[in-house]
Amino acid sequence: MSFKDQIEDVLHNVFGYKSFRNQQRDIIESVIAGRDTLTIIPTGGGKSLCYQIPAVVLPGTALVISPLISLMKDQVDQLIVNGISAAFLNATQSPEEQQNIIEQYLNHTIKLLYISPERLAVSSFSSLITAHPPSLIAIDEAHCISQWGHDFRPDYRQLNHLSLRFPEVPIIALTATADKLTQADVINQLNLIDPLVVVRSFDRPNIRYTVVEKFNLTEQVVSFIETQKGNSGIVYCSSRSKVEDMTTRLAARGFSVVAYHAGLTTAERQQAQESFLKDNVQIIVATVAFGMGINKPNVRFVVHADCPRTIEAYYQETGRAGRDGVPAEALLLFNSKDLNWYHRQIADKPENKHKQVELHKIQSMESFAQSMTCRRTVLLNYFGENRTEPCNNCDICLYPPEHYDGLIDAQKILSCIYRVEQRYGAQYVVDVLRGSSRSQIKENGHDKLSVYGIGKAHSSDYWLSVIRQLIYLGYVSQNISTFTTLQLTEQARAILKGQVALSLAKPRLEIVKKSRLNRYARAINLTTILSYEERILFNNLKRLRKEIADMEDIAPYVVFSDATLLEMVQIKPESKKQLINVTGVGKIKLEKYGNLFLDEINDFMIKNI
């Protein structure tokens, strides 16, 4: 059987997929031919197959370098369920376990061995692979080697010698997120020789992107999650304390939730992650310490309670939703204060190219959050993928912002800032406008100002929304050195004199408050077209999947993904011959689980005839 026939056979009968996508065939054939390859495919686009299929086909054992122990175990579990011998090697294992795995490597009884980059620094292991080279070297999350990458890890730097040590061994570097600067740096750092570079579309059409102004964080998060009953999701917060606070608040509201951050012990983090991966809890609240390489395909939503530092980080984190191609949600709750913190962090750094790049990335994230054009268009253009057509699956496309003549509102705010001598922050200015009775205002004599109480007609959140827009538009600046006091810019003069027109987006706060059902968060219900009876069957199959996973001590999605279950519901196979045609059902899984799922479908059909 030729290599081309072998890769088709492995794709169909081992992994259960009917066809290649995203140039997977080109990449696989390149690796098998011994050529270095840089692969940039979005999360859920099938990167793993690009090295797993060559590893199965080529003689010997492939070495896979992965940044996280949890990811290694996850990948190995999935390979084993598909009938592929694989193992990982890390410090959590006993010396006996490690020696056993090394012997499997030497005897070629495993097709893939997963290691961390730190393992290469262990002299005994380094000597071992020098004497017994792998069939190929796959470097996952390859953006970590680049100083321009958003997850730069110094440990990845030592990978630059692999090309020189193993000139005959093909190297495939893979990542979901890398702009052109990062791509060039990865190639340079890894010394890839004439690599095939495959950059697929960054578009994740199944993810709905929504950005909402942050005004009452807990209520906004709760309101959103209430629309996601039974769905797995991640809530990202910017600090450990915020993670703990959000976890406590969500638990108090009755949600199944667990916290994850670097301040927990290794055992606590592993337990939290395992509970989430195995669907024992619905929600994980985490810092960015969680998620890189997480292979859980049935995450249905990602909420950012704080704005990420860069678009790369945002894209990578939101990309953890909907890996299975089923509709998913990405909600960003945005406040300019989030980004002010990032600006302060780099303010004192020396002026050099690295600082300029960091500043550019923060400003790009800010522009995305403030954009009044299609979110997906902004994202794709950032990554160099020119797109002008609206996506019709983001908040801007679905609910275009309503504009109004904001000149009078702006004049009220700018006048108030001026009359309090540009010495106070946004909330104080709003309190003066709304006629607050807080003691500080009276002590300062600001209750005697002409602007005092002229904004009573609107809520505090309304005025804060308008102030943010005036900041975005350049009429007001925030002085970071004086606790973000509001100050007028030169452009404000024309507004105060009424010399120019000013169109502002009508604050959406009133709309959101009127209904706890967040109208921006209905992609799952609207786009997963199942009848009432089919939803019952889908839930029955999910329950069966969970029972099997618990018995085998693996994550439910390792058995079958949500996408596979949905296809079963829609096709309703009656035999193994029909079931093998469902995407994600290979021969090993068919024999192992086929009868159980066919019986569940058959019982449902009998009851509903």
Side-chain angles (χ1 to χ4, degrees):
M1 186 184 294
S2 68
F3 276 141
K4 288 189 176 183
D5 291 336
Q6 286 184 63
I7 66 175
E8 286 281 354
D9 180 69
V10 173
L11 178 75
H12 301 323
N13 295 318
V14 176
F15 291 99
Y17 295 115
K18 305 302 175 281
S19 60
F20 288 108
R21 56 185 176 138
N22 290 326
Q23 285 185 260
Q24 286 173 320
R25 181 192 291 277
D26 295 339
I27 298 164
I28 291 166
E29 291 181 353
S30 170
V31 173
I32 291 175
R35 186 179 179 186
D36 290 345
T37 307
L38 174 61
T39 300
I40 301 168
I41 295 177
T43 302
K47 289 189 300 297
S48 298
L49 286 183
C50 295
Y51 65 82
Q52 289 174 346
I53 289 180
V56 173
V57 170
L58 290 171
T61 303
L63 200 63
V64 184
I65 298 167
S66 177
L68 295 172
I69 291 173
S70 57
L71 174 58
M72 297 179 199
K73 183 181 184 304
D74 191 46
Q75 293 274 19
V76 168
D77 283 346
Q78 289 190 300
L79 288 165
I80 290 173
V81 167
N82 279 315
I84 300 169
S85 56
F88 58 84
L89 195 62
N90 62 52
T92 66
Q93 298 161 318
S94 68
E96 293 76 19
E97 288 175 317
Q98 293 187 42
Q99 185 57 40
N100 179 49
I101 291 166
I102 288 172
E103 288 175 4
Q104 292 180 59
Y105 176 85
L106 292 172
N107 296 330
H108 301 309
T109 55
I110 52 175
K111 297 303 296 180
L112 297 100
L113 175 60
Y114 286 76
I115 65 167
S116 67
E118 294 85 353
R119 175 65 54 171
L120 292 172
V122 178
S123 59
S124 58
F125 184 80
S126 180
S127 300
L128 172 74
I129 61 173
T130 298
H132 304 276
S135 59
L136 67 92
I137 298 172
I139 301 172
D140 204 4
E141 307 293 348
H143 63 275
C144 291
I145 199 173
S146 172
Q147 64 175 325
W148 309 119
H150 60 284
D151 285 318
F152 172 58
R153 292 169 66 123
D155 293 324
Y156 262 62
R157 288 293 196 187
Q158 63 185 305
L159 305 182
N160 62 1
H161 61 81
L162 291 174
S163 179
L164 302 175
R165 286 179 60 192
F166 303 102
E168 303 301 319
V169 177
I171 295 176
I172 176 171
L174 310 102
T175 182
T177 316
D179 56 19
K180 291 184 177 180
L181 185 64
T182 305
Q183 293 169 32
D185 199 31
V186 169
I187 292 171
N188 179 58
Q189 293 295 333
L190 290 175
N191 295 305
L192 301 184
I193 301 170
D194 185 30
L196 170 69
V197 179
V198 175
V199 181
R200 298 304 298 159
S201 173
F202 287 91
D203 192 10
R204 296 286 306 282
N206 62 310
I207 297 178
R208 174 171 294 181
Y209 298 106
T210 300
V211 181
V212 176
E213 283 194 83
K214 189 189 323 185
F215 62 91
N216 189 336
L217 181 59
T218 301
E219 292 304 318
Q220 287 176 292
V221 173
V222 167
S223 176
F224 178 84
I225 295 177
E226 284 179 342
T227 71
Q228 302 286 335
K229 291 181 180 178
N231 290 331
S232 290
I234 305 169
V235 178
Y236 281 111
C237 299
S238 62
S239 68
R240 300 175 189 180
S241 60
K242 289 183 178 180
V243 166
E244 293 289 352
D245 181 62
M246 181 61 71
T247 303
T248 300
R249 290 172 183 270
L250 292 180
R253 296 295 189 95
F255 293 107
S256 172
V257 60
V258 67
Y260 186 105
H261 56 71
L264 300 173
T265 66
T266 300
E268 287 171 331
R269 290 199 303 273
Q270 288 177 344
Q271 183 178 2
Q273 181 163 301
E274 187 169 337
S275 295
F276 181 64
L277 294 178
K278 291 184 176 180
D279 289 345
N280 293 329
V281 296
Q282 177 195 3
I283 303 159
I284 190 162
V285 182
T287 60
V288 293
F290 173 81
M292 182 166 47
I294 292 302
N295 203 29
K296 182 178 171 67
N298 63 330
V299 174
R300 296 268 67 86
F301 65 89
V302 170
V303 175
H304 280 95
D306 299 301
C307 189
R309 189 186 190 103
T310 67
I311 285 183
E312 286 91 344
Y314 172 78
Y315 180 83
Q316 187 94 350
E317 289 153 18
T318 56
R320 286 157 196 156
R323 290 172 57 99
D324 51 11
V326 177
E329 292 280 346
L331 173 65
L332 167 60
L333 296 167
F334 176 73
N335 187 318
S336 59
K337 289 181 181 178
D338 297 339
L339 291 170
N340 288 341
W341 165 245
Y342 300 136
H343 280 291
R344 287 196 294 272
Q345 284 183 312
I346 67 170
D348 296 329
K349 290 186 177 182
E351 294 296 334
N352 54 33
K353 184 178 181 181
H354 200 280
K355 180 176 180 177
Q356 291 173 3
V357 171
E358 276 193 274
L359 187 59
H360 167 72
K361 288 179 181 289
I362 293 171
Q363 290 170 340
S364 296
M365 186 66 229
E366 193 167 21
S367 296
F368 168 79
Q370 297 168 4
S371 174
M372 289 296 170
T373 58
C374 170
R375 306 286 182 194
R376 202 175 310 271
T377 299
V378 177
L379 274 179
L380 297 179
N381 284 326
Y382 176 83
F383 287 114
E385 186 176 333
N386 295 328
R387 183 77 65 90
T388 56
E389 292 297 316
C391 73
N392 296 318
N393 194 29
C394 73
D395 60 317
I396 297 296
C397 289
L398 294 170
Y399 310 103
E402 184 180 348
H403 284 78
Y404 76 109
D405 183 351
L407 183 61
I408 293 176
D409 279 354
Q411 287 175 329
K412 289 178 181 179
I413 291 169
L414 298 178
S415 180
C416 187
I417 294 170
Y418 177 77
R419 293 180 187 281
V420 297
E421 300 176 333
Q422 305 181 75
R423 294 172 53 199
Y424 297 89
Q427 189 60 60
Y428 186 90
V429 169
V430 169
D431 287 345
V432 172
L433 278 175
R434 299 190 69 243
S436 169
S437 59
R438 60 188 281 191
S439 58
Q440 187 183 8
I441 291 175
K442 293 183 177 180
E443 289 169 4
N444 292 332
H446 291 157
D447 57 332
K448 302 295 191 298
L449 296 176
S450 60
V451 292
Y452 180 76
I454 64 172
K456 285 182 178 178
H458 296 297
S459 69
S460 176
D461 293 321
Y462 176 96
W463 287 115
L464 287 171
S465 175
V466 177
I467 287 174
R468 291 185 195 113
Q469 291 187 65
L470 295 178
I471 293 171
Y472 304 155
L473 293 170
Y475 298 115
V476 176
S477 64
Q478 290 179 292
N479 191 330
I480 297 173
S481 65
T482 57
F483 306 101
T484 62
T485 56
L486 300 183
Q487 298 177 350
L488 304 183
T489 66
E490 183 60 33
Q491 293 94 311
R493 189 185 302 273
I495 298 295
L496 284 167
K497 291 184 176 181
Q499 295 173 339
V500 294
L502 180 63
S503 177
L504 296 176
K506 183 176 281 189
R508 287 171 162 170
L509 310 173
E510 308 303 325
I511 298 171
V512 177
K513 284 182 177 178
K514 285 178 183 176
S515 171
R516 290 176 62 84
L517 177 63
N518 189 329
R519 67 173 184 169
Y520 308 129
R522 288 189 265 169
I524 306 305
N525 295 329
L526 293 176
T527 56
T528 303
I529 305 173
L530 294 178
S531 66
Y532 173 75
E533 289 77 15
E534 286 175 330
R535 288 199 295 274
I536 294 174
L537 176 56
F538 179 66
N539 288 329
N540 290 348
L541 296 181
K542 284 178 68 176
R543 175 189 46 76
L544 173 61
R545 178 181 68 177
K546 184 71 168 72
E547 291 171 356
I548 294 170
D550 287 345
M551 285 190 293
E552 298 190 3
D553 194 26
I554 56 178
Y557 59 81
V558 173
V559 180
F560 289 123
S561 70
D562 279 7
T564 299
L565 297 188
L566 283 170
E567 194 170 330
M568 288 185 194
V569 169
Q570 291 165 338
I571 294 175
K572 298 179 182 64
E574 298 177 2
S575 65
K576 285 187 174 181
K577 186 176 181 180
Q578 292 177 336
L579 186 57
I580 192 68
N581 290 319
V582 173
T583 302
V585 181
K587 284 186 175 180
I588 299 295
K589 287 188 177 181
L590 180 70
E591 293 306 314
K592 195 170 185 180
Y593 308 126
N595 287 333
L596 294 171
F597 282 85
L598 287 171
D599 288 347
E600 188 70 40
I601 294 168
N602 183 57
D603 289 346
F604 174 82
M605 295 301 291
I606 291 173
K607 293 176 183 176
N608 289 274
I609 289 176

